Amino acid sequence: MTNPDLPDDLDRSVGERALELARDQLRDQPQSPHAAEAAGRVLARALAAPRRATTIETSDPLLQVSSVALVALLRSTLAAEVADAAVRRIRLDVRDRGRLHAVHVELVARYGTSVPRSAEAAHVVTRRVLAETLGAGPAPGADAVAHHVHVSDVTRGDPHLAEPLDEDQAGDA
């Protein structure tokens, strides 16, 4: 799979080696007794930071929905209703003064899960949440929006808790 944002002659192995080196260096650092305290402050600041949002049209011309609220609603509903898969990322494609054009959902699946079944469940949940939130109909509702579901990684553990990239190292230790 090629990425149109990267040059064709880019040597990815250099970046991968640098990332592995940085990861190993961080893992070798001694844990400070105040690390959890600092991590809590960092997380609190990140959560308090303003998020850029756009408003999305609904079938009611007097009502609009925040993109941040819609993503949060999609994320929580998908987490509750799609078994053995977790949302890694949701991207909304909003065009034409607030019209939702597409929803891109990226999942992490548990190893052994039926990927087509998880993707279809994510499609069904996404369509339902959009219809309930934006309203049905040809304008901004669920029927007019393209839904793209992509499983980007697989994990042996609970996909809601595991960080799949860390599993390679856990098996080597």
Side-chain angles (χ1 to χ4, degrees):
M1 177 184 239
T2 60
N3 183 341
D5 297 330
L6 299 175
D8 292 332
D9 61 345
L10 180 69
D11 183 4
R12 293 174 189 247
S13 64
V14 173
E16 290 170 1
R17 283 193 304 270
L19 181 60
E20 287 174 12
L21 178 64
R23 181 184 63 205
D24 292 343
Q25 288 173 348
L26 285 172
R27 284 196 174 139
D28 292 341
Q29 293 295 316
Q31 291 294 320
S32 165
H34 302 290
E37 188 179 305
R41 286 194 306 269
V42 170
L43 181 60
R45 283 189 177 197
L47 293 174
R51 296 181 203 157
R52 189 174 174 113
T54 187
T55 54
I56 299 171
E57 291 181 353
T58 69
S59 59
D60 180 345
L62 301 176
L63 180 66
Q64 295 179 329
V65 174
S66 163
S67 59
V68 172
L70 183 58
V71 166
L73 182 59
L74 283 166
R75 183 178 292 279
S76 66
T77 307
L78 287 163
E81 297 184 26
V82 178
D84 293 324
V87 175
R88 176 172 277 173
R89 184 176 302 124
I90 297 175
R91 188 170 55 84
L92 304 178
D93 183 1
V94 181
R95 301 179 187 174
D96 304 325
R97 294 180 302 240
R99 182 165 298 216
L100 183 62
H101 178 71
V103 178
H104 305 270
V105 178
E106 184 179 336
L107 299 175
V108 175
R110 183 188 312 263
Y111 179 78
T113 299
S114 168
V115 171
R117 193 174 304 135
S118 292
E120 181 55 31
H123 277 286
V124 168
V125 169
T126 301
R127 279 192 295 272
R128 189 186 80 237
V129 168
L130 292 177
E132 290 171 354
T133 307
L134 303 179
D143 298 332
V145 177
H147 310 92
H148 305 284
V149 175
H150 172 74
V151 176
S152 64
D153 214 335
V154 176
T155 180
R156 289 184 290 262
D158 181 349
H160 297 94
L161 304 175
E163 187 59 46
L165 297 175
D166 288 342
E167 290 184 354
D168 293 335
Q169 294 297 318
D172 294 340

